[in-house]
Amino acid sequence: MLIPDFIIPDLRTDHAGETGAVFIYKGILLISKNNEIVEFANDHLKTESRHLELLEKILPSNEKSKLLFLWKFLGFLTGFIPSLFGKKFIYVTIFFVESFVERHYKKQIFELRKENKSLDLIKLLEKLKNEEISHKEDSLRRFDKLSILERIWGNIVKIGSKIAVSISHKI
Ligand SMILES: [Fe+2]
Ligand SMILES: [Fe+2]
C-alpha cells in the first residue's frame, strides 16, 4: 500500500486512537455487569481490535507513538469512569468519542483525496470511518437527551481527545 510521508503523523494519531479505543472497552468490561452493556462493549471491542490490527500493518513500528502506555491508560479511564455511573453515561461517552473520531478520519480522507493518489489508503480510512459512524449511531439510539453533567463530561472527553491527537501527531 502506498503511504505518502505527509500522512504518517496522522496515521500515528489513528494508531494511538485505536489503541485507546480498545482500552475504553476494556475499562467498561472490567466492571460492567449489565448484559446490554457487556454485549455492546464486546461488539465494539471486536471492531476496534480489527482497526488496530489494520493500522499496525500499515504504520512502520518506528513511527508509532512513544506514549502508547499513556493512551492505553487514558483510554481505560475513558471507559472505566462512566461505567461507575451506569449505562447512559457509557453510551454518551461513546457518542462523543465516535463523533470526534468520525471528523478525525474525514479530515485525513479529505487531505488524501486532494492528492488524488493512495487510493487503497483512502479506501481503508473510509472503512474505518464508516464503522466509527455505526458505533456512533449504535450509542446514539440508546439515549435521548443529555443532562448538563453528561454534556460537561462529553466535552471533557472531546477536549481530551483533541489534546491526545495533537500530542500523538508529534510523538
Ligand atoms: Fe476504531
Ligand atoms: Fe469506534
Side-chain angles (χ1 to χ4, degrees):
M1 188 183 290
L2 178 68
I3 311 284
D5 280 346
F6 80 89
I7 206 76
I8 292 277
D10 289 309
L11 293 179
R12 176 161 49 246
T13 68
D14 299 344
H15 178 267
E18 297 294 354
T19 303
V22 165
F23 275 79
I24 289 178
Y25 293 105
K26 290 191 177 186
I28 294 171
L29 287 164
L30 188 70
I31 51 165
S32 299
K33 296 280 169 275
N34 178 279
N35 282 343
E36 188 190 309
I37 286 289
V38 170
E39 208 178 299
F40 171 89
N42 272 322
D43 178 47
H44 286 218
L45 176 58
K46 225 183 276 166
T47 318
E48 303 301 3
S49 307
R50 233 187 305 124
H51 291 176
L52 183 56
E53 264 169 44
L54 289 168
L55 285 162
E56 293 267 346
K57 272 187 206 149
I58 58 169
L59 181 67
S61 41
N62 62 326
E63 295 290 357
K64 282 182 194 167
S65 172
K66 305 284 182 284
L67 301 173
L68 283 176
F69 66 94
L70 183 63
W71 312 133
K72 288 178 185 174
F73 177 66
L74 293 174
F76 178 83
L77 286 183
T78 307
F80 186 80
I81 292 170
S83 304
L84 300 171
F85 300 94
K87 274 207 286 204
K88 191 181 169 204
F89 243 89
I90 295 176
Y91 297 139
V92 168
T93 305
I94 299 305
F95 172 72
F96 275 89
V97 168
E98 298 292 13
S99 306
F100 177 83
V101 179
E102 176 187 352
R103 275 196 300 276
H104 183 65
Y105 278 127
K106 273 185 179 161
K107 272 186 235 159
Q108 292 165 38
I109 293 166
F110 180 78
E111 291 305 320
L112 286 166
R113 283 233 172 90
K114 280 201 292 202
E115 304 289 313
N116 203 21
K117 44 187 182 190
S118 345
L119 292 178
D120 290 348
L121 181 59
I122 292 175
K123 218 169 122 189
L124 174 74
L125 294 178
E126 284 278 4
K127 172 188 153 68
L128 300 190
K129 182 204 73 186
N130 289 334
E131 290 179 350
E132 309 302 7
I133 291 175
S134 81
H135 282 172
K136 181 188 80 176
E137 286 167 355
D138 188 27
S139 58
L140 186 60
R141 69 188 171 82
R142 295 168 195 260
F143 65 89
D144 311 309
K145 273 194 177 154
L146 293 175
S147 69
I148 294 179
L149 212 62
E150 287 157 352
R151 207 176 285 274
I152 293 171
W153 168 249
N155 278 293
I156 293 173
V157 168
K158 189 168 134 187
I159 293 164
S161 305
K162 258 187 210 166
I163 296 172
V165 163
S166 62
I167 296 174
S168 57
H169 203 260
K170 298 189 187 74
I171 178 165

